[in-house]
Protein backbone atom coordinates (compact mmCIF):
# COMPACT_ATOMS: atom_id res chain seq x y z
CA UNK A 1 0.00 0.00 0.00
CA UNK A 2 1.51 3.30 -1.09
CA UNK A 3 0.50 6.45 0.71
CA UNK A 4 0.49 9.55 -1.36
CA UNK A 5 0.34 12.61 0.83
CA UNK A 6 -2.30 14.25 -1.28
CA UNK A 7 -4.65 11.30 -1.03
CA UNK A 8 -7.62 11.55 1.24
CA UNK A 9 -7.70 9.12 4.09
CA UNK A 10 -9.85 8.68 7.10
CA UNK A 11 -9.82 6.66 10.27
CA UNK A 12 -13.08 4.74 10.37
CA UNK A 13 -14.22 3.53 13.75
CA UNK A 14 -14.83 -0.22 13.44
CA UNK A 15 -15.75 -0.98 17.03
CA UNK A 16 -15.64 0.45 20.52
CA UNK A 17 -14.61 -2.03 23.21
CA UNK A 18 -16.16 -1.39 26.58
CA UNK A 19 -15.61 -3.16 29.87
CA UNK A 20 -12.81 -1.48 31.77
CA UNK A 21 -14.11 0.57 34.69
CA UNK A 22 -11.22 3.06 34.77
CA UNK A 23 -8.82 4.63 32.28
CA UNK A 24 -7.16 2.29 29.80
CA UNK A 25 -3.42 2.88 29.80
CA UNK A 26 -1.95 0.53 27.28
CA UNK A 27 -2.61 -1.98 24.48
CA UNK A 28 -0.74 -4.87 22.88
CA UNK A 29 -1.66 -6.89 19.77
CA UNK A 30 -0.65 -10.51 20.01
CA UNK A 31 1.94 -10.79 17.19
CA UNK A 32 1.19 -14.42 16.34
CA UNK A 33 -2.55 -14.01 15.93
CA UNK A 34 -4.59 -12.72 13.00
CA UNK A 35 -2.87 -15.09 10.55
CA UNK A 36 -3.49 -18.68 9.36
CA UNK A 37 -7.05 -18.64 10.63
CA UNK A 38 -6.04 -17.69 14.18
CA UNK A 39 -8.35 -14.87 15.29
CA UNK A 40 -6.65 -11.57 16.20
CA UNK A 41 -6.08 -11.01 19.92
CA UNK A 42 -5.51 -7.71 21.72
CA UNK A 43 -4.62 -7.16 25.39
CA UNK A 44 -5.49 -4.00 27.31
CA UNK A 45 -4.60 -2.87 30.83
CA UNK A 46 -6.20 -0.31 33.06
CA UNK A 47 -6.43 1.76 36.20
CA UNK A 48 -9.11 -0.73 37.26
CA UNK A 49 -6.20 -3.12 38.11
CA UNK A 50 -7.21 -5.64 35.45
CA UNK A 51 -6.01 -6.81 32.08
CA UNK A 52 -8.55 -7.72 29.42
CA UNK A 53 -7.99 -10.06 26.50
CA UNK A 54 -10.07 -9.24 23.42
CA UNK A 55 -10.62 -11.50 20.43
CA UNK A 56 -12.11 -10.79 17.04
CA UNK A 57 -14.24 -13.79 16.18
CA UNK A 58 -17.60 -15.15 15.17
CA UNK A 59 -19.45 -14.70 11.90
CA UNK A 60 -19.79 -10.96 12.55
CA UNK A 61 -16.02 -10.63 12.98
CA UNK A 62 -16.66 -8.44 16.01
CA UNK A 63 -14.45 -8.05 19.08
CA UNK A 64 -15.34 -9.70 22.38
CA UNK A 65 -13.70 -9.79 25.78
CA UNK A 66 -12.43 -13.37 26.14
CA UNK A 67 -10.72 -13.15 29.50
CA UNK A 68 -10.20 -10.79 32.44
CA UNK A 69 -6.90 -11.13 34.26
CA UNK A 70 -7.57 -9.92 37.77
CA UNK A 71 -6.78 -10.48 41.43
CA UNK A 72 -3.05 -10.48 40.79
CA UNK A 73 -2.09 -6.84 40.53
CA UNK A 74 -3.23 -4.74 43.47
CA UNK A 75 -2.85 -1.36 41.75
CA UNK A 76 -3.05 0.13 38.25
CA UNK A 77 -1.72 -2.07 35.46
CA UNK A 78 0.27 0.43 33.46
CA UNK A 79 1.66 -1.55 30.56
CA UNK A 80 1.46 -4.94 28.84
CA UNK A 81 3.57 -6.74 26.24
CA UNK A 82 3.29 -10.09 24.43
CA UNK A 83 6.35 -12.28 24.04
CA UNK A 84 7.34 -12.71 20.37
CA UNK A 85 6.01 -16.30 20.46
CA UNK A 86 2.62 -14.94 21.56
CA UNK A 87 2.31 -17.43 24.41
CA UNK A 88 3.22 -15.09 27.28
CA UNK A 89 1.90 -11.71 28.34
CA UNK A 90 3.97 -9.51 30.67
CA UNK A 91 2.14 -6.87 32.70
CA UNK A 92 3.75 -4.00 34.65
CA UNK A 93 1.94 -2.49 37.60
CA UNK A 94 2.04 0.39 40.05
CA UNK A 95 2.13 -2.37 42.72
CA UNK A 96 5.90 -2.59 41.96
CA UNK A 97 5.64 -6.02 40.30
CA UNK A 98 5.67 -7.39 36.80
CA UNK A 99 3.50 -10.46 36.18
CA UNK A 100 4.03 -13.08 33.50
CA UNK A 101 0.87 -14.77 32.22
CA UNK A 102 0.87 -17.94 30.15
CA UNK A 103 -1.88 -18.75 27.69
CA UNK A 104 -2.87 -22.34 28.45
CA UNK A 105 -5.60 -23.30 26.00
CA UNK A 106 -7.29 -19.90 26.16
CA UNK A 107 -6.96 -19.57 29.95
CA UNK A 108 -4.39 -17.18 31.29
CA UNK A 109 -2.37 -18.33 34.26
CA UNK A 110 0.01 -16.10 36.20
CA UNK A 111 3.19 -18.20 36.08
CA UNK A 112 5.71 -15.76 37.49
CA UNK A 113 5.91 -12.48 39.40
CA UNK A 114 9.00 -10.31 39.01
CA UNK A 115 9.82 -8.33 42.13
CA UNK A 116 12.63 -5.93 42.77
CA UNK A 117 11.61 -2.42 41.80
CA UNK A 118 11.07 -0.12 44.77
CA UNK A 119 7.84 1.37 43.48
CA UNK A 120 5.62 1.67 40.37
CA UNK A 121 6.72 -0.34 37.35
CA UNK A 122 5.83 1.76 34.32
CA UNK A 123 6.72 -0.33 31.31
CA UNK A 124 7.79 -3.79 30.16
CA UNK A 125 9.32 -4.93 26.87
CA UNK A 126 10.54 -8.27 25.39
CA UNK A 127 13.59 -8.34 23.15
CA UNK A 128 13.18 -9.49 19.54
CA UNK A 129 13.91 -13.17 20.18
CA UNK A 130 12.06 -13.37 23.48
CA UNK A 131 15.09 -14.28 25.61
CA UNK A 132 15.15 -11.08 27.64
CA UNK A 133 12.70 -8.75 29.30
CA UNK A 134 13.23 -5.15 30.40
CA UNK A 135 11.28 -3.22 33.04
CA UNK A 136 11.49 0.35 34.35
CA UNK A 137 10.12 2.24 37.30
CA UNK A 138 9.67 5.50 39.15
CA UNK A 139 12.66 4.27 41.20
CA UNK A 140 14.77 5.59 38.23
CA UNK A 141 16.18 2.17 37.36
CA UNK A 142 15.90 -0.09 34.33
CA UNK A 143 16.14 -3.85 34.93
CA UNK A 144 17.04 -6.51 32.39
CA UNK A 145 15.76 -10.02 33.08
CA UNK A 146 16.83 -13.21 31.39
CA UNK A 147 14.14 -15.74 30.54
CA UNK A 148 15.20 -19.08 32.09
CA UNK A 149 13.67 -22.54 31.67
CA UNK A 150 10.61 -23.28 33.77
CA UNK A 151 9.17 -19.76 33.71
CA UNK A 152 12.02 -18.42 35.81
CA UNK A 153 13.29 -14.88 35.29
CA UNK A 154 16.72 -13.88 36.48
CA UNK A 155 17.77 -10.27 36.84
CA UNK A 156 20.86 -9.78 34.65
CA UNK A 157 21.53 -6.16 35.50
CA UNK A 158 20.09 -3.07 37.12
CA UNK A 159 20.82 0.00 35.00
CA UNK A 160 21.12 3.32 36.80
CA UNK A 161 21.54 6.57 34.95
CA UNK A 162 18.21 8.30 34.65
CA UNK A 163 17.79 11.02 37.26
CA UNK A 164 14.00 10.64 37.42
CA UNK A 165 11.03 8.37 36.84
CA UNK A 166 11.58 6.10 33.79
CA UNK A 167 8.43 6.12 31.66
CA UNK A 168 9.07 3.49 29.02
CA UNK A 169 11.49 0.78 27.95
CA UNK A 170 11.61 -0.55 24.40
CA UNK A 171 13.96 -3.05 22.76
CA UNK A 172 15.21 -2.45 19.25
CA UNK A 173 13.21 -4.60 16.74
CA UNK A 174 16.24 -6.56 15.47
CA UNK A 175 19.18 -6.07 17.84
CA UNK A 176 19.66 -6.42 21.59
CA UNK A 177 19.80 -2.69 22.19
CA UNK A 178 17.53 -1.24 24.84
CA UNK A 179 15.99 2.24 24.87
CA UNK A 180 14.49 4.00 27.87
CA UNK A 181 12.74 7.34 28.09
CA UNK A 182 12.14 9.40 31.17
CA UNK A 183 10.62 12.23 33.17
CA UNK A 184 14.21 13.59 33.15
CA UNK A 185 13.54 14.56 29.48
CA UNK A 186 16.11 12.15 28.05
CA UNK A 187 16.23 8.96 26.02
CA UNK A 188 19.01 6.56 27.03
CA UNK A 189 20.40 3.80 24.87
CA UNK A 190 21.81 0.71 26.60
CA UNK A 191 23.86 -2.04 25.06
CA UNK A 192 26.38 -4.70 25.81
CA UNK A 193 29.51 -4.98 23.68
CA UNK A 194 30.30 -8.57 24.64
CA UNK A 195 28.69 -11.65 23.14
CA UNK A 196 27.37 -12.92 26.47
CA UNK A 197 25.38 -9.73 26.99
CA UNK A 198 26.90 -9.07 30.38
CA UNK A 199 28.51 -5.64 30.24
CA UNK A 200 25.44 -3.50 29.90
CA UNK A 201 26.10 0.20 29.88
CA UNK A 202 24.58 3.44 28.68
CA UNK A 203 26.17 4.24 25.32
CA UNK A 204 24.13 7.32 24.46
CA UNK A 205 21.99 9.89 26.21
CA UNK A 206 19.77 11.98 23.98
CA UNK A 207 18.87 15.17 25.80
CA UNK A 208 17.82 18.70 25.03
CA UNK A 209 21.41 19.75 24.30
CA UNK A 210 21.56 17.32 21.36
CA UNK A 211 18.22 18.14 19.73
CA UNK A 212 16.28 16.04 22.24
CA UNK A 213 13.09 16.79 24.11
CA UNK A 214 12.59 19.61 26.59
CA UNK A 215 10.10 17.77 28.81
CA UNK A 216 9.08 14.22 29.79
CA UNK A 217 9.62 11.68 27.01
CA UNK A 218 6.61 9.36 27.16
CA UNK A 219 7.18 6.83 24.41
CA UNK A 220 9.21 5.78 21.41
CA UNK A 221 8.80 3.40 18.49
CA UNK A 222 10.82 2.02 15.58
CA UNK A 223 10.14 1.65 11.88
CA UNK A 224 10.08 -1.86 10.42
CA UNK A 225 13.73 -1.77 9.33
CA UNK A 226 14.86 -0.55 12.75
CA UNK A 227 17.02 2.24 11.33
CA UNK A 228 14.65 5.01 12.41
CA UNK A 229 13.02 5.84 15.71
CA UNK A 230 10.28 8.27 16.70
CA UNK A 231 9.81 9.69 20.20
CA UNK A 232 6.98 11.73 21.72
CA UNK A 233 6.91 14.09 24.64
CA UNK A 234 5.18 16.43 27.03
CA UNK A 235 6.97 19.19 25.07
CA UNK A 236 4.23 18.61 22.41
CA UNK A 237 6.65 17.42 19.75
CA UNK A 238 7.48 14.19 17.96
CA UNK A 239 11.11 13.69 17.04
CA UNK A 240 12.55 11.38 14.44
CA UNK A 241 16.02 9.83 14.75
CA UNK A 242 18.18 7.57 12.65
CA UNK A 243 21.27 5.43 13.06
CA UNK A 244 23.57 3.35 10.94
CA UNK A 245 22.29 -0.03 12.00
CA UNK A 246 24.19 -1.86 9.27
CA UNK A 247 27.36 -0.86 11.04
CA UNK A 248 26.03 -2.18 14.34
CA UNK A 249 24.72 -5.38 12.77
CA UNK A 250 28.09 -6.09 11.20
CA UNK A 251 29.73 -5.81 14.60
CA UNK A 252 31.62 -2.58 14.01
CA UNK A 253 30.63 -1.13 17.34
CA UNK A 254 27.96 1.27 18.41
CA UNK A 255 26.56 3.80 15.94
CA UNK A 256 24.83 6.72 17.64
CA UNK A 257 21.33 7.93 16.88
CA UNK A 258 21.02 11.37 15.38
CA UNK A 259 18.18 13.81 15.01
CA UNK A 260 16.44 13.97 11.61
CA UNK A 261 13.51 16.24 12.28
CA UNK A 262 11.02 17.56 14.82
CA UNK A 263 7.27 17.55 14.22
CA UNK A 264 5.74 20.40 16.19
CA UNK A 265 2.57 22.46 16.07
CA UNK A 266 0.23 19.50 15.84
CA UNK A 267 -0.93 18.20 19.22
CA UNK A 268 -1.51 20.96 21.77
CA UNK A 269 -1.36 18.78 24.87
CA UNK A 270 1.00 16.05 26.09
CA UNK A 271 1.69 13.33 23.50
CA UNK A 272 1.52 10.03 25.37
CA UNK A 273 1.89 7.46 22.65
CA UNK A 274 3.53 7.00 19.30
CA UNK A 275 3.66 3.92 17.09
CA UNK A 276 5.30 3.36 13.72
CA UNK A 277 3.44 0.93 11.45
CA UNK A 278 5.22 -1.67 9.35
CA UNK A 279 4.10 0.32 6.33
CA UNK A 280 5.74 3.50 7.51
CA UNK A 281 2.82 5.40 9.03
CA UNK A 282 3.44 7.07 12.39
CA UNK A 283 0.40 7.27 14.67
CA UNK A 284 0.36 9.54 17.71
CA UNK A 285 -2.16 9.83 20.52
CA UNK A 286 -2.33 12.70 22.97
CA UNK A 287 -4.07 14.44 25.84
CA UNK A 288 -5.89 16.61 23.28
CA UNK A 289 -8.13 13.54 22.64
CA UNK A 290 -6.86 13.36 19.07
CA UNK A 291 -5.01 10.82 16.96
CA UNK A 292 -2.72 12.00 14.19
CA UNK A 293 -0.99 10.09 11.42
CA UNK A 294 2.26 11.11 9.75
CA UNK A 295 4.14 9.79 6.73
CA UNK A 296 7.51 10.50 5.19
CA UNK A 297 7.18 13.23 2.62
CA UNK A 298 8.31 12.36 -0.89
CA UNK A 299 9.33 15.93 -1.64
CA UNK A 300 12.93 14.88 -2.02
CA UNK A 301 14.32 17.54 0.25
CA UNK A 302 18.10 17.90 0.16
CA UNK A 303 18.13 18.16 3.94
CA UNK A 304 17.10 14.53 4.22
CA UNK A 305 13.70 13.04 4.89
CA UNK A 306 10.84 15.16 6.12
CA UNK A 307 7.45 14.10 7.44
CA UNK A 308 3.94 15.31 6.79
CA UNK A 309 0.67 14.85 8.54
CA UNK A 310 -1.52 12.36 6.68
CA UNK A 311 -4.61 13.01 8.76
CA UNK A 312 -5.90 14.04 12.13
CA UNK A 313 -8.80 12.51 13.98
CA UNK A 314 -10.10 15.10 16.43
CA UNK A 315 -12.16 13.76 19.33
CA UNK A 316 -10.99 10.25 18.61
CA UNK A 317 -11.97 9.66 22.23
CA UNK A 318 -13.93 11.64 24.83
CA UNK A 319 -10.78 12.01 26.92
CA UNK A 320 -6.96 11.67 26.69
CA UNK A 321 -5.61 9.09 24.25
CA UNK A 322 -3.04 7.03 26.15
CA UNK A 323 -2.03 4.42 23.62
CA UNK A 324 -2.08 3.90 19.85
CA UNK A 325 -0.99 0.58 18.39
CA UNK A 326 -1.04 -0.64 14.79
CA UNK A 327 -1.93 -4.24 14.16
CA UNK A 328 1.23 -6.17 13.25
CA UNK A 329 -0.73 -8.25 10.75
CA UNK A 330 -3.61 -6.27 9.28
CA UNK A 331 -1.73 -3.10 8.48
CA UNK A 332 -4.78 -0.88 8.16
CA UNK A 333 -6.01 -1.55 11.69
CA UNK A 334 -5.15 0.76 14.55
CA UNK A 335 -6.22 0.32 18.18
CA UNK A 336 -6.41 3.20 20.64
CA UNK A 337 -6.98 3.37 24.41
CA UNK A 338 -8.21 6.27 26.46
CA UNK A 339 -8.93 7.80 29.84
CA UNK A 340 -12.60 7.45 28.83
CA UNK A 341 -12.28 3.73 29.64
CA UNK A 342 -12.76 2.55 26.08
CA UNK A 343 -10.64 0.99 23.40
CA UNK A 344 -11.37 1.73 19.76
CA UNK A 345 -10.47 -0.25 16.68
CA UNK A 346 -9.97 1.94 13.63
CA UNK A 347 -9.51 1.19 9.97
CA UNK A 348 -7.40 3.44 7.83
CA UNK A 349 -9.42 3.83 4.65
CA UNK A 350 -9.26 5.89 1.53
CA UNK A 351 -12.03 8.41 1.00
CA UNK A 352 -11.31 8.76 -2.69
CA UNK A 353 -12.91 6.50 -5.28
CA UNK A 354 -9.59 4.84 -6.05
CA UNK A 355 -9.02 1.78 -4.00
CA UNK A 356 -5.80 1.44 -2.08
CA UNK A 357 -3.67 -1.36 -3.43
CA UNK B 1 -24.36 41.18 23.35
CA UNK B 2 -23.25 37.59 22.91
CA UNK B 3 -19.89 38.48 24.35
CA UNK B 4 -21.40 39.97 27.49
CA UNK B 5 -23.64 37.04 28.10
CA UNK B 6 -20.77 34.65 27.79
CA UNK B 7 -18.68 36.63 30.26
CA UNK B 8 -21.42 36.63 32.83
CA UNK B 9 -21.87 32.90 32.46
CA UNK B 10 -18.22 32.32 33.01
CA UNK B 11 -18.19 34.45 36.10
CA UNK B 12 -21.01 32.49 37.69
CA UNK B 13 -19.34 29.27 36.76
CA UNK B 14 -16.07 30.44 38.29
CA UNK B 15 -17.57 31.49 41.58
CA UNK B 16 -19.57 28.28 41.84
CA UNK B 17 -16.37 26.41 41.41
CA UNK B 18 -14.56 28.61 43.87
CA UNK B 19 -17.27 27.78 46.40
CA UNK B 20 -16.64 24.17 45.71
CA UNK B 21 -12.89 24.21 46.41
CA UNK B 22 -12.54 27.02 48.95
CA UNK B 23 -13.19 24.75 51.93
CA UNK B 24 -10.42 22.30 51.17
CA UNK B 25 -8.31 22.20 54.34
CA UNK B 26 -4.60 22.93 54.27
CA UNK B 27 -2.63 19.72 54.98
CA UNK B 28 -0.60 21.48 57.67
CA UNK B 29 -2.99 23.99 59.20
CA UNK B 30 -6.48 23.83 60.65
CA UNK B 31 -7.58 26.41 58.07
CA UNK B 32 -9.11 26.29 54.64
CA UNK B 33 -7.15 27.13 51.50
CA UNK B 34 -9.19 30.29 51.12
CA UNK B 35 -8.55 31.41 54.69
CA UNK B 36 -4.82 31.00 54.08
CA UNK B 37 -5.06 32.89 50.76
CA UNK B 38 -3.74 29.82 48.96
CA UNK B 39 -6.74 30.17 46.69
CA UNK B 40 -8.81 33.12 45.64
CA UNK B 41 -11.45 33.62 43.01
CA UNK B 42 -8.80 34.99 40.68
CA UNK B 43 -6.92 31.67 40.90
CA UNK B 44 -9.35 30.05 38.56
CA UNK B 45 -9.70 30.46 34.82
CA UNK B 46 -12.30 28.47 32.95
CA UNK B 47 -12.73 28.22 29.21
CA UNK B 48 -16.01 26.39 28.99
CA UNK B 49 -16.05 26.28 25.22
CA UNK B 50 -12.69 24.57 24.96
CA UNK B 51 -13.27 22.68 28.19
CA UNK B 52 -10.08 23.91 29.82
CA UNK B 53 -9.44 25.00 33.38
CA UNK B 54 -6.34 26.59 34.83
CA UNK B 55 -5.89 26.81 38.60
CA UNK B 56 -3.08 28.85 40.03
CA UNK B 57 -2.54 28.57 43.76
CA UNK B 58 -0.13 30.28 46.12
CA UNK B 59 1.58 28.01 48.67
CA UNK B 60 1.83 29.58 52.13
CA UNK B 61 5.64 29.59 52.08
CA UNK B 62 8.33 29.35 49.37
CA UNK B 63 9.49 25.93 50.53
CA UNK B 64 6.05 24.48 51.20
CA UNK B 65 6.57 20.72 51.12
CA UNK B 66 2.83 20.24 50.92
CA UNK B 67 2.38 22.08 47.62
CA UNK B 68 2.00 18.81 45.71
CA UNK B 69 -0.58 17.54 48.21
CA UNK B 70 -2.58 20.75 47.84
CA UNK B 71 -2.41 20.29 44.07
CA UNK B 72 -3.65 16.70 44.40
CA UNK B 73 -6.56 17.85 46.56
CA UNK B 74 -7.55 20.46 44.00
CA UNK B 75 -7.39 17.92 41.20
CA UNK B 76 -9.52 15.34 43.02
CA UNK B 77 -12.10 17.90 44.07
CA UNK B 78 -12.37 19.56 40.68
CA UNK B 79 -12.67 16.22 38.91
CA UNK B 80 -15.94 15.80 40.79
CA UNK B 81 -17.11 19.23 39.68
CA UNK B 82 -16.41 19.31 35.95
CA UNK B 83 -17.52 17.00 33.15
CA UNK B 84 -14.87 14.30 32.74
CA UNK B 85 -13.59 15.56 29.38
CA UNK B 86 -12.48 18.92 30.82
CA UNK B 87 -8.72 19.46 30.83
CA UNK B 88 -7.33 20.70 34.09
CA UNK B 89 -3.94 22.38 34.54
CA UNK B 90 -2.75 23.18 38.03
CA UNK B 91 0.17 25.48 38.77
CA UNK B 92 1.67 27.36 41.66
CA UNK B 93 1.60 31.14 41.20
CA UNK B 94 4.74 32.42 39.45
CA UNK B 95 7.45 33.11 42.01
CA UNK B 96 5.50 31.57 44.88
CA UNK B 97 7.52 28.40 45.30
CA UNK B 98 11.24 27.67 45.42
CA UNK B 99 10.81 24.62 43.15
CA UNK B 100 8.12 26.08 40.97
CA UNK B 101 9.05 24.22 37.82
CA UNK B 102 9.35 20.80 39.41
CA UNK B 103 6.14 21.21 41.43
CA UNK B 104 4.26 22.24 38.29
CA UNK B 105 5.66 19.33 36.32
CA UNK B 106 4.70 16.81 38.96
CA UNK B 107 1.20 18.22 39.43
CA UNK B 108 0.45 17.87 35.74
CA UNK B 109 1.95 14.43 35.13
CA UNK B 110 -1.20 12.33 35.23
CA UNK B 111 0.71 9.11 35.71
CA UNK B 112 2.39 10.48 38.84
CA UNK B 113 -0.98 11.81 40.02
CA UNK B 114 -2.66 8.42 39.46
CA UNK B 115 0.12 6.61 41.32
CA UNK B 116 0.06 9.11 44.19
CA UNK B 117 -3.67 8.63 44.65
CA UNK B 118 -3.17 4.85 44.86
CA UNK B 119 -0.65 5.33 47.66
CA UNK B 120 -2.65 4.73 50.87
CA UNK B 121 -0.78 7.33 52.95
CA UNK B 122 -1.10 10.08 50.38
CA UNK B 123 -4.69 9.16 49.69
CA UNK B 124 -5.51 9.43 53.40
CA UNK B 125 -3.87 12.84 53.58
CA UNK B 126 -5.84 14.04 50.55
CA UNK B 127 -9.10 12.67 51.93
CA UNK B 128 -8.50 14.38 55.27
CA UNK B 129 -8.02 17.72 53.54
CA UNK B 130 -11.09 17.24 51.40
CA UNK B 131 -13.57 15.75 53.77
CA UNK B 132 -12.53 16.82 57.25
CA UNK B 133 -14.89 19.21 59.00
CA UNK B 134 -12.37 20.29 61.61
CA UNK B 135 -11.77 23.80 60.44
Amino acid sequence: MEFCEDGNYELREIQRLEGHTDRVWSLAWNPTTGVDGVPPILASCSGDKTVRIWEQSGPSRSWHCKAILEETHTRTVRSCAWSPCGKFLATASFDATTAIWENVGGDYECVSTLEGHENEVKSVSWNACGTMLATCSRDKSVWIWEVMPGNEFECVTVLQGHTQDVKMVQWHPTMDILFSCSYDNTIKVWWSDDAESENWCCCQTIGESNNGHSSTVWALSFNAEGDKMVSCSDDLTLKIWDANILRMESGDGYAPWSHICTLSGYHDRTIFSVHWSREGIIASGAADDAIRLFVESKDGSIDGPSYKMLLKKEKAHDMDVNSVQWSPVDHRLLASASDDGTIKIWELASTSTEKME
Amino acid sequence: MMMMRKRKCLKIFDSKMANYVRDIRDPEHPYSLEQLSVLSEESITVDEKLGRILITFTPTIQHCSMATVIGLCLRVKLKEFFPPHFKLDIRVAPGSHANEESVNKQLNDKERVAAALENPNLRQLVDECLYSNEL
Side-chain angles (χ1 to χ4, degrees):
Chain A
M1 184 159 56
E2 275 286 312
F3 289 95
C4 68
E5 308 138 29
D6 306 322
N8 291 311
Y9 299 97
E10 62 172 353
L11 274 180
R12 249 179 237 155
E13 186 181 323
I14 302 278
Q15 201 180 330
R16 176 199 311 246
L17 314 185
E18 289 172 323
H20 281 297
T21 57
D22 201 312
R23 64 160 59 103
V24 189
W25 275 112
S26 180
L27 296 169
W29 293 86
N30 186 316
T32 60
T33 62
V35 282
D36 302 332
V38 181
I41 284 177
L42 183 71
S44 62
C45 60
S46 160
D48 68 11
K49 308 181 179 85
T50 73
V51 178
R52 280 176 178 255
I53 308 290
W54 309 85
E55 188 182 273
Q56 186 189 29
S57 55
S60 62
R61 303 270 299 148
S62 65
W63 290 85
H64 304 277
C65 180
K66 296 296 280 188
I68 302 175
L69 283 45
E70 54 192 346
E71 286 165 9
T72 293
H73 288 302
T74 56
R75 294 192 189 177
T76 285
V77 188
R78 176 63 183 88
S79 139
C80 53
W82 293 98
S83 61
C85 68
K87 205 166 160 44
F88 297 95
L89 181 72
T91 55
S93 167
F94 286 180
D95 68 11
T97 71
T98 305
I100 309 293
W101 306 80
E102 185 177 359
N103 179 355
V104 186
D107 286 329
Y108 290 83
E109 235 173 77
C110 179
V111 292
S112 197
T113 306
L114 281 50
E115 293 174 6
H117 281 295
E118 283 170 33
N119 46 43
E120 299 94 73
V121 188
K122 301 281 176 86
S123 171
V124 59
S125 174
W126 301 83
N127 69 339
C129 53
T131 55
M132 284 187 285
L133 196 68
T135 57
C136 64
S137 161
R138 184 167 62 86
D139 69 13
K140 305 172 190 171
S141 68
V142 171
W143 292 43
I144 297 178
W145 310 78
E146 196 179 327
V147 184
M148 311 290 280
N151 296 327
E152 293 285 326
F153 290 78
E154 194 179 282
C155 176
V156 180
T157 183
V158 175
L159 304 170
Q160 307 281 359
H162 282 295
T163 58
Q164 296 281 351
D165 194 0
V166 189
K167 295 298 195 187
M168 190 202 201
V169 278
Q170 180 70 51
W171 289 94
H172 187 270
T174 60
M175 293 178 287
D176 282 339
I177 305 177
L178 181 65
F179 295 75
S180 58
C181 50
S182 165
Y183 189 87
D184 69 13
N185 309 350
T186 71
I187 299 166
K188 282 184 181 284
V189 190
W190 311 86
W191 88 318
S192 170
D193 56 7
D194 67 340
E196 287 80 38
S197 288
E198 276 168 1
N199 290 319
W200 287 92
C201 60
C202 177
C203 51
Q204 191 179 359
T205 299
I206 303 170
E208 198 176 358
S209 58
N210 31 30
N211 291 315
H213 291 286
S214 59
S215 189
T216 303
V217 190
W218 279 96
L220 54 84
S221 177
F222 294 91
N223 67 346
E225 296 74 28
D227 62 346
K228 289 199 184 73
M229 166 172 86
V230 59
S231 56
C232 67
S233 165
D234 181 54
D235 70 9
L236 313 183
T237 71
L238 296 156
K239 285 177 184 279
I240 297 174
W241 312 85
D242 74 349
N244 185 349
I245 61 159
L246 288 178
R247 179 175 142 191
M248 279 185 272
E249 281 169 345
S250 63
D252 278 348
Y254 181 73
W257 292 77
S258 46
H259 177 258
I260 299 183
C261 67
T262 298
L263 305 174
S264 58
Y266 295 100
H267 292 284
D268 69 347
R269 292 185 72 84
T270 309
I271 310 170
F272 290 119
S273 181
V274 66
H275 194 229
W276 209 320
S277 82
R278 301 218 174 156
E279 294 193 314
I281 309 169
I282 297 169
S284 60
D288 60 6
D289 310 345
I291 295 172
R292 283 174 170 77
L293 304 183
F294 301 89
V295 284
E296 190 173 329
S297 168
K298 301 279 190 287
D299 280 353
S301 156
I302 46 162
D303 304 327
S306 64
Y307 291 79
K308 275 193 176 174
M309 191 168 74
L310 186 69
L311 70 82
K312 68 176 165 193
K313 184 76 188 174
E314 306 257 29
K315 297 195 190 325
H317 281 273
D318 293 337
M319 294 169 72
D320 295 7
V321 180
N322 296 323
S323 181
V324 281
Q325 291 289 314
W326 291 102
S327 158
V329 176
D330 188 340
H331 296 150
R332 292 174 201 185
L333 288 188
L334 179 76
S336 62
S338 164
D339 274 3
D340 67 16
T342 70
I343 297 149
K344 286 185 180 179
I345 310 287
W346 307 88
E347 184 186 26
L348 178 61
S350 171
T351 53
S352 64
T353 46
E354 261 179 277
K355 282 205 97 172
M356 284 187 292
E357 293 302 324
Chain B
M1 194 60 197
M2 281 297 288
M3 194 65 192
M4 273 178 66
R5 225 180 82 199
K6 196 176 151 206
R7 273 223 180 124
K8 203 174 163 199
C9 260
L10 275 183
K11 192 71 197 163
I12 293 167
F13 203 50
D14 286 8
S15 60
K16 255 195 194 163
M17 189 174 79
N19 274 330
Y20 198 69
V21 293
R22 64 164 39 111
D23 291 334
I24 296 174
R25 208 197 65 188
D26 187 278
E28 290 179 313
H29 307 88
Y31 302 106
S32 74
L33 295 184
E34 193 191 30
Q35 284 168 326
L36 292 167
S37 303
V38 170
L39 272 185
S40 67
E41 221 160 283
E42 288 71 52
S43 317
I44 301 163
T45 320
V46 181
D47 185 329
E48 243 184 304
K49 197 160 160 264
L50 284 177
R52 301 206 170 170
I53 310 147
L54 174 65
I55 303 267
T56 311
F57 69 97
T58 310
T60 45
I61 47 167
Q62 280 272 323
H63 292 273
C64 181
S65 58
M66 287 292 154
T68 48
V69 177
I70 295 173
L72 278 180
C73 292
L74 287 167
R75 192 171 283 282
V76 171
K77 193 78 176 175
L78 288 169
K79 237 178 98 179
E80 297 169 2
F81 186 84
F82 283 103
H85 66 272
F86 271 53
K87 307 292 181 185
L88 173 59
D89 291 310
I90 302 181
R91 298 181 194 288
V92 293
S96 70
H97 198 279
N99 301 317
E100 185 177 324
E101 207 180 316
S102 78
V103 169
N104 285 343
K105 189 171 183 182
Q106 206 174 326
L107 286 177
N108 294 291
D109 179 319
K110 75 172 186 187
E111 192 185 50
R112 298 280 284 256
V113 168
L117 292 173
E118 287 187 5
N119 175 317
N121 299 329
L122 268 171
R123 183 76 221 197
Q124 192 188 349
L125 195 53
V126 167
D127 285 345
E128 278 170 15
C129 295
L130 292 182
Y131 307 115
S132 159
N133 296 317
E134 295 162 29
L135 283 178

